[in-house]
Amino acid sequence: MIVVMASGASKEQVEHVVQLIHDMGLVDHVIVGTDRTVIAAIGDKRQVDKTRLERAPMVEKIVPILSPYKMASREVHREPTEIPFGPSGATIGGGKVAVMAGPCGVESKEQLLATAHAIKKTGATAIRGGAFKPRTNPYSFQGLGEEGLAILAEAREQTGLAVVTEVLSEEEVLLVARYADVVQVGARNMHNFRLLSAVGRQDKPVLLKRGFSASLEEFLLAAEYVIAAGNPNVILCERGIRTFEDYCRNTLCLAIIPAIKRLSHLPVVIDPSHGTGHAYMVPDMAKAAVAAGADGLIIEVHMDPEHALTDGAQSITPAALDELMKQLSGIAKAVGREI
Amino acid sequence: MIVVMASGASKEQVEHVVQLIHDMGLVDHVIVGTDRTVIAAIGDKRQVDKTRLERAPMVEKIVPILSPYKMASREVHREPTEIPFGPSGATIGGGKVAVMAGPCGVESKEQLLATAHAIKKTGATAIRGGAFKPRTNPYSFQGLGEEGLAILAEAREQTGLAVVTEVLSEEEVLLVARYADVVQVGARNMHNFRLLSAVGRQDKPVLLKRGFSASLEEFLLAAEYVIAAGNPNVILCERGIRTFEDYCRNTLCLAIIPAIKRLSHLPVVIDPSHGTGHAYMVPDMAKAAVAAGADGLIIEVHMDPEHALTDGAQSITPAALDELMKQLSGIAKAVGREI
Amino acid sequence: MIVVMASGASKEQVEHVVQLIHDMGLVDHVIVGTDRTVIAAIGDKRQVDKTRLERAPMVEKIVPILSPYKMASREVHREPTEIPFGPSGATIGGGKVAVMAGPCGVESKEQLLATAHAIKKTGATAIRGGAFKPRTNPYSFQGLGEEGLAILAEAREQTGLAVVTEVLSEEEVLLVARYADVVQVGARNMHNFRLLSAVGRQDKPVLLKRGFSASLEEFLLAAEYVIAAGNPNVILCERGIRTFEDYCRNTLCLAIIPAIKRLSHLPVVIDPSHGTGHAYMVPDMAKAAVAAGADGLIIEVHMDPEHALTDGAQSITPAALDELMKQLSGIAKAVGREI
Amino acid sequence: MIVVMASGASKEQVEHVVQLIHDMGLVDHVIVGTDRTVIAAIGDKRQVDKTRLERAPMVEKIVPILSPYKMASREVHREPTEIPFGPSGATIGGGKVAVMAGPCGVESKEQLLATAHAIKKTGATAIRGGAFKPRTNPYSFQGLGEEGLAILAEAREQTGLAVVTEVLSEEEVLLVARYADVVQVGARNMHNFRLLSAVGRQDKPVLLKRGFSASLEEFLLAAEYVIAAGNPNVILCERGIRTFEDYCRNTLCLAIIPAIKRLSHLPVVIDPSHGTGHAYMVPDMAKAAVAAGADGLIIEVHMDPEHALTDGAQSITPAALDELMKQLSGIAKAVGREI
């Protein structure tokens, strides 16, 4: 950490800060510049709240140097992590781009099984679908619960697709993990630290979505919660952030792919459905994601979007997915991957 | 809801949308304008996902008309809600502005009791302090747990201050509610719908913080979750949003006060500590909040901010609070309130 | 436009709004719904400020229906516009993706000519470089002025590359247009309506950058200014927006490509250099842009980024551009384009 | 500036950065920490682009220490600047809060003179009104031009109010300055560096509005442009920023008042009209601004907002202003000011 003293800080004020640095168990290093004195505080005390030094007289600002996460960091784990998932021996984080597709919510057995078979034909690896739905509106459809999980498991049995599904509550983690191949933590729960710890205490890989206004550092710290609780298999999923834009429901910046790959060893999946909110944008953003180096895609697919119970506006049809997969294949090849 | 057809939509395309509107159980009303046909869908189906109509051919956009919340709305409940809380018969939402103050976290019995006595002298109504801390960093101080709750209860006994404290998990709701006068749901849990329902099933008033990128509509829907579960006593707390600004940790727009008062009957509290992130800004924003019509303030106060375990940068001292209370009193009077 | 009346609006209040609609020269259409009365105002008066109706008693909100731009719109001009530029007969907006590359600023004749030759070899179509630099800091390098323009023209002569360069002031429009093949209006001037009109009164194509917090509608209205002044050859350039993110200098959402193509007939260029701010992200975002359907790229390239006078952090080397062009070619092919 | 090396940087890589620092004419100071080596670059070279060091191998990030502005800074000018303006000897930046009020645009002589007289009675100091209007839509009302300026001057003669009006173009600066007491640069031109220099070369005080997504540093650099060109009398005006919020047209965070007062000596004016976009929010935000320490307010007032040519939605009536002034007076007193 660097403490920048305000212009005109006295010797005593600098010494006071040095004392506070010692109180934290850190070593100081004072540099007197032309306009400012700055004080480096040396040592690794990631758990200490160093910003409080800002309250000392004539401190202008505090600049942190070390990232607060460790196990999610590429410094600690230089090689990319490749995570196996599902019944078919698929992996994510290696040379092959994984495609996870399916409806927002499991609406019925017929709907889900038909979708699963259609998706299977496109070459996708996994089926996604919510049995427990986090709904902004308390009066909206909340999902089929365990019945939905059982339907997903049946789809796996019939198609060999892996199952990705969301968990909303610590209490349901074990239930969901019993049926799922990948346990999803949704964007609205990225800061639900109790849930993060709970999914960290089970064995299935965790698909962790970035909160829609979480910083990248907070996102990696959320992954750190899961890893620190015992589960190293975290798949990071970007689904767009909230901004002033109104042409899309979320703003999906794919530069986060190289940014994550620089900072972390964990695989990155892009969700172009929530990431845009409009079906007509989904194929272009899926293609862009693969071109930018994404390790996977998670796409909302519905047999009849005009009648979907949830997320119809951003769901594409199985036919559109099939068409998309062909173009994705060419792009993957152009960037040295396969799909 | 209004469906705007794209320019050039055919009669069949309009009829297809009309059919989809009927499928939702709504009544259509078609208006042919100079450049566009628009179709109003009449009826109250707040739980149906109407945005899926966007997927019909030649639909340009969907414009919702009705707000999705009901019980949190001023339409349903015209008069402002005044909520009693704590041992002393205080209320929030009436003529008197409530001031809740205290440390970010309960660090020790000595610290908390000393702070409580100092705060009591300033004329504040409640002590705040976290026993369960939601921490972005898994390695940081996580709070004293039930021991912290017991310390808060002792502070209430010694001072008569009401106790406001946060709950992080459905499982701990009853425990926290046993000690607290007001149960707080933090910004990071505003979208934790299971927790919202759980605090709705107990009796203590709920201080609900807005998520740092939740829309106002989502905020009121979160309140609706609590009310729908059985607890009408929700206090809305604005603590700033995340934006590109870097002079403050959060961007605290007080225009939300008149906005909420127009839409809802629930009381509004402002948190100038999290809302700015810097102690030197807290008094000015506290004054501004009272001038703008806030029903209450929640302010972080620490005896020794330079050594606070958490949130030192944004904590003011009891002496600063005391000075502030005097100015707040004059402002409250100027806008027809008291403090 | 749709006027939504508040719940409980009286007959007189509705009639008052109807009268105000008539005052605007529009026709009203009243719909009485279950919870709300809404009033459609029919007619095309794009120049009238209709939002003032919000001030009438018991008006809840105003919902605009028509977009305010016309000539930039796909409604008026159904086919994509293909714009020829430069000495070599290149076009933008057709099947071939145009690549414009070069330094942020023209620093010297040697630098620029060497860069131009290196860029030419990679297969790029145009050289970019600023002779007039808009600098946030008044004490920074402001560009070489007309001398810089002459150097750019010499580079064109030597290499056959088209010249893209920025104009800052109405007074310099004709000067810049004399040397340039494409006149650039920078993001900071997107709302400089006098400059927009001035570039609309000359003949060279205009590369118009989106302001870093302009809405898409404002962006298209800025293009409308240029077209309305007489110049139909506007190339839209996205360069990212300002958000809370800190891993990138700007947030570059490529979903704007399909969004623009849906609303407008104008070609779209992506600037991955300003769009990310970091050289290591530029290749991935360039690839993503082509995959998402961009008509062109504009990329900052410098022979020696560590010593660049401006924008060194986001400039790639000619060697990196060369490597990138190969991958772009494969991606273009996969999406049915060439480069 | 501080250069943070990535973990694992070699001695040669550190030496390379040291060399680059020397190339900039700065002195290096290397600190070897437990996890990172950081290199301080000492010396005041505000005009050099130091971020290019990010391109050197194994550099993790660059942290600037010095602010790039000087004359706008409180370091250089410790006392607050008090600026006299208008015919009546009023000042801004001292103990008295200045209120500037008037219509968005000058629509006619009758309208403006009637408004001026009504405003005068409320105790306001200045009349605002645009003769040259920056319009997002090229087909909208663009103002009366010089005729509008003459009307404003007549209002001054009749009432003694100072005249505040906007300039859009370098070419019109002298014209506008001939009629105005305060020359306004609008938010859309805050980055129009040529215009900033031009208003810096004339003598009337300049009201500089913050761009709606300019950082505070960019805002102060824009003021620096004006001061560097010769005019020290810059009044900073905050009018809100663009965010994801939809309950207001802009997000107006008043914490910028203490932030500016900490960094700069220039007076701060708040614009609650553009800052919210809705008339019903204006009084509460005006009160909040005075409570937070604003030196002035600029408020849109129209005799008949329902028929205003521009900005009707956010204009209050003279009667509402009169009512507001009474409450502002009490608040000003409570914070040690007068109005």
Side-chain angles (χ1 to χ4, degrees):
Chain A
M1 175 194 40
I2 305 282
V3 181
V4 181
M5 301 300 296
S7 163
S10 71
K11 206 173 151 239
E12 288 69 31
Q13 287 161 336
V14 171
E15 276 166 11
H16 178 62
V17 169
V18 166
Q19 183 56 52
L20 291 171
I21 286 170
H22 294 176
D23 293 353
M24 286 175 176
L26 298 167
V27 173
D28 70 288
H29 185 113
V30 178
I31 308 168
V32 181
T34 45
D35 287 63
R36 290 283 187 289
T37 294
V38 307
I39 312 171
I42 299 170
D44 181 359
K45 296 271 170 178
R46 294 178 198 222
Q47 76 285 9
V48 174
D49 174 21
K50 305 183 197 76
T51 60
R52 70 193 189 206
L53 287 188
E54 182 186 310
R55 292 291 271 118
M58 293 300 273
V59 168
E60 190 170 289
K61 62 178 172 186
I62 303 297
V63 181
I65 299 296
L66 285 184
S67 303
Y69 47 86
K70 288 202 131 171
M71 288 185 287
S73 161
R74 197 170 270 273
E75 268 175 63
V76 167
H77 190 301
R78 296 267 170 194
E79 290 310 301
T81 288
E82 187 170 352
I83 302 174
F85 69 101
S88 65
T91 67
I92 189 157
K96 202 165 172 342
V97 179
V99 177
M100 306 164 186
C104 173
V106 179
E107 299 174 6
S108 72
K109 193 166 172 174
E110 295 65 38
Q111 168 240 19
L112 203 271
L113 293 180
T115 313
H117 285 286
I119 282 170
K120 176 66 183 176
K121 278 187 208 139
T122 68
T125 314
I127 183 153
R128 57 147 292 155
F132 297 99
K133 299 299 309 165
R135 301 309 303 277
T136 306
N137 185 332
Y139 310 121
S140 299
F141 174 61
Q142 307 269 335
L144 298 180
E146 188 169 358
E147 184 194 340
L149 295 174
I151 294 171
L152 286 162
E154 187 170 341
R156 174 177 48 213
E157 218 153 297
Q158 292 190 13
T159 62
L161 292 168
V163 166
V164 183
T165 196
E166 182 167 356
V167 64
L168 294 187
S169 160
E170 297 162 66
E171 292 169 25
E172 287 155 0
V173 165
L174 296 182
L175 173 70
V176 171
R178 205 157 64 232
Y179 290 95
D181 297 302
V182 176
V183 174
Q184 177 180 323
V185 174
R188 285 173 183 73
N189 276 316
M190 195 210 83
H191 284 297
N192 182 344
F193 304 119
R194 298 297 176 89
L195 183 60
L196 294 174
S197 294
V199 297
R201 289 190 300 267
Q202 56 82 47
D203 286 341
K204 297 285 173 66
V206 175
L207 183 96
L208 175 65
K209 291 195 148 190
R210 182 156 77 127
F212 50 77
S213 64
S215 68
L216 178 49
E217 183 172 297
E218 289 168 347
F219 190 21
L220 293 174
L221 279 167
E224 187 90 4
Y225 258 98
V226 179
I227 303 173
N231 188 341
N233 293 320
V234 181
I235 302 162
L236 300 171
C237 178
E238 169 62 271
R239 43 79 76 209
I241 59 168
R242 186 162 278 181
T243 70
F244 67 85
E245 298 280 24
D246 55 8
Y247 68 83
C248 47
R249 293 240 169 77
N250 290 290
T251 295
L252 179 58
C253 177
L254 298 170
I256 201 168
I257 299 171
I260 289 177
K261 295 207 166 290
R262 191 180 168 106
L263 297 173
S264 178
H265 52 93
L266 298 171
V268 188
V269 161
I270 298 295
D271 176 349
S273 308
H274 291 87
T276 61
H278 300 288
Y280 81 93
M281 295 173 172
V282 169
D284 285 339
M285 289 306 276
K287 288 182 262 180
V290 172
D295 296 305
L297 295 170
I298 183 162
I299 301 178
E300 289 195 340
V301 172
H302 197 280
M303 303 299 280
D304 179 10
E306 290 179 357
H307 290 91
L309 292 188
T310 51
D311 281 0
Q314 69 196 35
S315 297
I316 63 172
T317 60
L321 178 65
D322 196 50
E323 179 62 27
L324 172 60
M325 289 294 278
K326 285 168 199 143
Q327 288 192 297
L328 291 179
S329 172
I331 293 169
K333 213 173 133 191
V335 297
R337 301 284 280 265
E338 59 179 315
I339 205 154
Chain B
M1 176 194 40
I2 305 282
V3 181
V4 182
M5 299 302 293
S7 162
S10 70
K11 205 173 152 239
E12 288 68 31
Q13 287 161 335
V14 171
E15 276 167 11
H16 178 61
V17 170
V18 166
Q19 183 56 51
L20 291 171
I21 287 170
H22 295 176
D23 292 354
M24 286 175 175
L26 297 168
V27 173
D28 70 287
H29 185 113
V30 178
I31 308 167
V32 180
T34 46
D35 286 64
R36 290 283 186 289
T37 295
V38 308
I39 312 170
I42 299 171
D44 181 358
K45 296 270 170 177
R46 293 180 198 222
Q47 77 285 8
V48 174
D49 174 21
K50 304 182 199 78
T51 59
R52 70 193 189 206
L53 287 188
E54 181 186 311
R55 292 291 271 116
M58 292 299 275
V59 167
E60 190 170 289
K61 61 178 171 185
I62 304 295
V63 181
I65 299 296
L66 285 185
S67 303
Y69 47 86
K70 287 202 132 171
M71 288 185 286
S73 162
R74 195 171 271 274
E75 269 174 62
V76 167
H77 191 300
R78 298 265 171 195
E79 290 310 302
T81 289
E82 188 170 352
I83 301 174
F85 69 102
S88 66
T91 67
I92 188 156
K96 202 164 174 337
V97 179
V99 178
M100 306 163 186
C104 174
V106 179
E107 298 174 6
S108 71
K109 193 167 173 172
E110 295 65 39
Q111 169 240 19
L112 203 272
L113 293 180
T115 313
H117 284 285
I119 282 170
K120 175 68 182 176
K121 277 188 208 139
T122 67
T125 315
I127 183 153
R128 57 146 291 155
F132 298 99
K133 299 299 307 165
R135 302 309 303 278
T136 307
N137 185 332
Y139 310 121
S140 299
F141 174 61
Q142 307 269 335
L144 299 181
E146 188 168 359
E147 185 194 339
L149 295 174
I151 294 171
L152 285 162
E154 186 170 341
R156 173 177 49 213
E157 215 154 299
Q158 292 190 12
T159 61
L161 291 168
V163 166
V164 183
T165 196
E166 181 167 358
V167 64
L168 293 188
S169 160
E170 298 163 66
E171 292 168 25
E172 288 155 1
V173 165
L174 295 183
L175 174 69
V176 171
R178 204 157 65 231
Y179 290 95
D181 298 301
V182 176
V183 174
Q184 178 179 324
V185 174
R188 284 173 183 73
N189 277 316
M190 195 209 84
H191 283 296
N192 183 343
F193 305 118
R194 297 296 176 88
L195 183 60
L196 294 174
S197 295
V199 297
R201 291 190 300 266
Q202 57 83 47
D203 286 341
K204 296 287 173 66
V206 175
L207 183 96
L208 175 65
K209 291 195 149 190
R210 181 156 77 127
F212 51 77
S213 65
S215 68
L216 179 48
E217 184 173 296
E218 290 168 346
F219 190 22
L220 293 174
L221 279 167
E224 188 89 4
Y225 258 98
V226 180
I227 302 173
N231 188 341
N233 292 320
V234 181
I235 302 162
L236 300 171
C237 178
E238 168 64 89
R239 42 78 78 208
I241 59 167
R242 186 162 280 181
T243 70
F244 67 84
E245 298 279 25
D246 55 6
Y247 68 83
C248 47
R249 294 239 170 77
N250 290 291
T251 295
L252 180 57
C253 177
L254 298 170
I256 202 168
I257 299 171
I260 289 176
K261 295 207 166 292
R262 190 179 169 107
L263 297 173
S264 178
H265 52 92
L266 298 170
V268 188
V269 161
I270 298 294
D271 176 349
S273 308
H274 290 87
T276 61
H278 299 288
Y280 80 93
M281 295 174 171
V282 169
D284 285 340
M285 289 306 276
K287 288 182 263 180
V290 172
D295 296 305
L297 296 170
I298 183 162
I299 301 178
E300 289 195 340
V301 172
H302 197 281
M303 304 298 281
D304 179 10
E306 289 179 357
H307 290 90
L309 291 188
T310 52
D311 281 0
Q314 69 196 35
S315 297
I316 63 172
T317 60
L321 178 64
D322 196 50
E323 179 61 28
L324 172 60
M325 289 294 278
K326 284 169 199 142
Q327 288 192 296
L328 290 179
S329 172
I331 294 169
K333 214 173 133 191
V335 297
R337 300 285 278 267
E338 60 179 313
I339 207 155
Chain C
M1 176 193 41
I2 305 282
V3 182
V4 182
M5 301 301 294
S7 162
S10 70
K11 206 174 151 237
E12 288 69 32
Q13 287 162 336
V14 171
E15 277 167 10
H16 177 61
V17 170
V18 166
Q19 184 55 52
L20 292 171
I21 287 171
H22 295 176
D23 293 353
M24 287 175 175
L26 297 168
V27 173
D28 70 287
H29 185 113
V30 178
I31 308 167
V32 181
T34 45
D35 288 63
R36 291 283 187 288
T37 294
V38 307
I39 312 170
I42 299 171
D44 182 357
K45 297 270 171 179
R46 294 180 197 222
Q47 77 285 9
V48 175
D49 174 21
K50 304 180 199 78
T51 59
R52 70 194 189 206
L53 288 188
E54 182 187 310
R55 292 291 271 118
M58 292 299 273
V59 168
E60 190 171 289
K61 62 178 171 184
I62 304 296
V63 181
I65 298 295
L66 285 184
S67 302
Y69 47 86
K70 287 203 132 171
M71 288 185 287
S73 162
R74 196 171 269 271
E75 269 175 64
V76 167
H77 190 301
R78 297 265 170 194
E79 290 310 301
T81 288
E82 187 169 352
I83 301 174
F85 69 101
S88 66
T91 66
I92 188 157
K96 203 164 173 339
V97 179
V99 177
M100 307 164 186
C104 173
V106 179
E107 298 175 6
S108 72
K109 192 167 174 173
E110 295 65 37
Q111 169 241 17
L112 203 271
L113 293 180
T115 313
H117 284 286
I119 282 170
K120 176 68 182 176
K121 277 187 211 139
T122 67
T125 314
I127 183 154
R128 56 146 293 155
F132 297 99
K133 299 299 309 164
R135 302 309 303 277
T136 307
N137 185 333
Y139 310 122
S140 299
F141 174 62
Q142 308 269 334
L144 298 181
E146 187 169 0
E147 185 194 339
L149 295 174
I151 294 171
L152 285 163
E154 187 170 341
R156 173 177 48 211
E157 218 154 297
Q158 292 191 12
T159 61
L161 292 169
V163 165
V164 184
T165 196
E166 181 167 357
V167 63
L168 294 187
S169 159
E170 298 163 66
E171 293 169 24
E172 288 154 1
V173 165
L174 295 182
L175 174 69
V176 171
R178 204 156 64 231
Y179 289 95
D181 297 302
V182 176
V183 174
Q184 177 179 323
V185 174
R188 284 171 182 75
N189 276 316
M190 195 209 83
H191 284 297
N192 182 343
F193 305 118
R194 298 297 176 89
L195 183 60
L196 294 174
S197 296
V199 296
R201 289 189 301 267
Q202 57 82 48
D203 286 341
K204 295 286 173 66
V206 175
L207 183 96
L208 175 64
K209 290 195 149 189
R210 182 156 77 126
F212 51 77
S213 65
S215 68
L216 178 48
E217 183 172 296
E218 289 168 347
F219 190 22
L220 293 174
L221 279 167
E224 187 90 5
Y225 257 98
V226 180
I227 302 173
N231 188 340
N233 293 320
V234 181
I235 302 162
L236 300 171
C237 178
E238 168 64 87
R239 42 79 77 209
I241 59 168
R242 187 162 279 180
T243 70
F244 68 84
E245 298 280 23
D246 55 7
Y247 69 82
C248 49
R249 293 240 169 77
N250 290 290
T251 295
L252 179 58
C253 177
L254 298 170
I256 201 168
I257 299 171
I260 289 176
K261 296 206 166 291
R262 190 180 167 106
L263 297 173
S264 178
H265 53 91
L266 299 170
V268 188
V269 162
I270 298 295
D271 176 349
S273 308
H274 290 87
T276 62
H278 299 288
Y280 80 92
M281 295 174 172
V282 169
D284 285 339
M285 289 306 276
K287 288 182 263 179
V290 172
D295 297 304
L297 296 171
I298 183 161
I299 301 178
E300 289 195 339
V301 173
H302 197 280
M303 305 297 280
D304 179 9
E306 290 179 356
H307 290 91
L309 291 188
T310 51
D311 281 359
Q314 69 195 36
S315 298
I316 63 172
T317 60
L321 177 64
D322 196 50
E323 179 61 26
L324 172 60
M325 289 293 278
K326 284 167 200 144
Q327 289 192 297
L328 291 179
S329 173
I331 294 169
K333 213 173 134 192
V335 297
R337 302 284 279 265
E338 60 179 313
I339 205 154
Chain D
M1 175 194 40
I2 304 282
V3 181
V4 181
M5 301 300 295
S7 163
S10 71
K11 204 172 152 239
E12 288 68 31
Q13 287 161 335
V14 171
E15 276 166 12
H16 177 62
V17 170
V18 166
Q19 183 56 51
L20 291 171
I21 287 171
H22 295 176
D23 292 352
M24 287 175 175
L26 298 168
V27 173
D28 70 287
H29 185 112
V30 178
I31 308 168
V32 180
T34 45
D35 288 62
R36 291 281 187 290
T37 294
V38 308
I39 312 170
I42 299 172
D44 182 358
K45 296 270 170 177
R46 293 179 198 223
Q47 77 285 7
V48 174
D49 174 22
K50 303 181 199 78
T51 59
R52 70 194 188 205
L53 287 188
E54 182 187 309
R55 293 290 271 117
M58 293 299 274
V59 167
E60 190 170 289
K61 61 178 171 185
I62 305 295
V63 181
I65 299 296
L66 284 184
S67 302
Y69 47 87
K70 287 202 131 169
M71 288 185 288
S73 161
R74 196 169 271 273
E75 268 175 63
V76 167
H77 190 301
R78 297 266 171 195
E79 291 309 302
T81 288
E82 188 170 351
I83 301 174
F85 68 101
S88 66
T91 67
I92 188 157
K96 203 164 172 341
V97 179
V99 177
M100 307 164 186
C104 174
V106 179
E107 298 174 7
S108 72
K109 193 167 173 172
E110 295 64 39
Q111 169 240 19
L112 202 273
L113 293 180
T115 312
H117 285 285
I119 283 170
K120 176 68 182 175
K121 277 188 209 138
T122 67
T125 314
I127 183 154
R128 57 147 291 154
F132 298 99
K133 298 299 308 164
R135 302 309 304 277
T136 306
N137 186 332
Y139 310 122
S140 298
F141 174 61
Q142 306 270 335
L144 299 181
E146 188 168 359
E147 185 193 339
L149 295 174
I151 295 171
L152 285 163
E154 187 169 340
R156 172 177 50 213
E157 217 154 299
Q158 292 190 12
T159 61
L161 291 169
V163 165
V164 183
T165 196
E166 182 167 356
V167 64
L168 294 188
S169 161
E170 298 163 66
E171 293 169 25
E172 287 156 359
V173 165
L174 294 183
L175 174 69
V176 171
R178 204 156 66 232
Y179 290 95
D181 297 302
V182 176
V183 174
Q184 177 179 324
V185 174
R188 284 171 184 73
N189 277 316
M190 196 209 84
H191 283 297
N192 182 344
F193 304 119
R194 297 297 175 87
L195 183 60
L196 294 175
S197 295
V199 297
R201 290 190 301 267
Q202 57 82 47
D203 286 341
K204 296 286 172 64
V206 174
L207 183 96
L208 175 65
K209 290 195 149 190
R210 181 155 78 127
F212 51 75
S213 64
S215 69
L216 178 48
E217 184 172 295
E218 289 168 347
F219 190 22
L220 293 174
L221 279 167
E224 188 90 4
Y225 258 98
V226 180
I227 303 173
N231 188 341
N233 292 321
V234 181
I235 302 162
L236 300 171
C237 178
E238 168 63 88
R239 43 79 77 209
I241 59 167
R242 186 161 282 181
T243 70
F244 67 85
E245 298 280 24
D246 55 6
Y247 68 83
C248 48
R249 294 240 169 75
N250 290 290
T251 295
L252 179 58
C253 177
L254 298 170
I256 202 168
I257 299 171
I260 289 176
K261 295 207 166 292
R262 190 180 168 105
L263 297 173
S264 178
H265 53 93
L266 298 170
V268 188
V269 162
I270 298 296
D271 176 348
S273 307
H274 290 87
T276 62
H278 299 288
Y280 81 93
M281 295 173 171
V282 169
D284 285 340
M285 288 307 277
K287 288 182 262 180
V290 172
D295 296 305
L297 295 171
I298 182 161
I299 300 178
E300 290 195 340
V301 173
H302 197 281
M303 303 298 280
D304 179 10
E306 289 178 357
H307 289 91
L309 291 188
T310 51
D311 281 0
Q314 68 196 37
S315 297
I316 63 172
T317 59
L321 178 64
D322 196 50
E323 178 61 26
L324 172 60
M325 289 294 277
K326 284 169 199 142
Q327 289 191 298
L328 291 179
S329 172
I331 293 169
K333 212 172 134 194
V335 297
R337 301 285 279 266
E338 60 179 314
I339 207 154

